Amino acid sequence: MAETGGAEGERPGAGDLRSVLVTSVLSLERLDLDLFRGRHYWVPVTRRLFGGQIVGQALVAAARAVGEDMHVHSLHCYFVRAGDPGVPVLYQVERTRTGRSFSVRSVKAVQHGKPIFICQASFQRAQPSPVQHQFAMPAVPAPEELLTWDELIHKYLQDPNLVEKYRQGLNKMLAQNVPIELKPVNPPDVFHWQPQEPKQLFWVRARGYIGEGDMKLHCCVAAYISDYAFLGTALLPHRQHTVEFMVSLDHSMWFHAPFRADHWMLYECESPWAVLGQVRPHPQGS
């Protein structure tokens, strides 16, 4: 993800609401030294737990088991069971390794006495390096030049010829209280089903204000955001087919440099491979 700041991205001031991702979604209750309980804020229309919530909360639990000077640089996760939105999730942290420069924490998310998710997060003490490089950011319009997903839906709803089933679906999408702001760079045509290239670009950020704060907190927020609008990329070349549901099976992230999750970040999603009959599409984002 690339980040942009600017006046719109900063959003300071006493009148700004603290991001609900910080005050609610990622605010875990400590039950014991390395045992935490997480609750749900937003549940998708599938009535399954949102995968990004589990990833973000698991990373919060892992981060609470390391020192303040340790920063997450990667996490690798597997979803092993569907989550139940009717009960909280327990997060059990194992202090797998604690070293001078690197530490590893393993997290198991449990419901009804069974694991629904497992994760390993690696933390590193910040060390400057003269050896650096990165790919150039794609050339795209600035976020200030684009409409949010909610604004696009309102625009679609103004069409007097809009088919009623589409109108109902769009109104359901508007009613969801998603704690993420999203601006598609090239919005898909939601009313036609021609195959498209399996690649999407979004500007994304957390709703509300987070501020500078702890870098680990911004990583946890980005982990939550990372699973949103992700799997749909794999369906773009196959829009003529009906897919009843898709779920995340595994999820990995790398954190290379400091950033602000309440600033606009460019999220590039692509799916280089998919066999939908085997239910194993392979989307990836950066």
Side-chain angles (χ1 to χ4, degrees), residues 12 19 51 57 72 81 86 100 107 123 136 143 172 213 225 248 258 265:
S19 173
Q57 290 181 341
V72 62
R81 288 182 176 86
R100 286 181 295 179
V107 183
F123 297 82
K172 285 182 179 179
I225 293 173
S248 298
M265 300 174 287

Side-chain angles (χ1 to χ4, degrees), residues 4 9 26 28 31-32 34 54 68 79 83 94 98 105 124-125 145 152 158 171 201 204 208 234 250 264 276:
T4 181
L26 300 178
L28 301 187
L31 303 177
D32 206 336
D34 291 328
I54 307 301
E68 292 185 1
F79 297 88
E94 176 186 316
T98 300
R105 297 295 181 260
Q124 179 183 15
R125 186 169 283 106
E145 302 173 19
L152 284 169
Q158 293 173 3
N171 279 316
L201 289 161
V204 294
D250 62 325
W264 287 114
L276 299 185

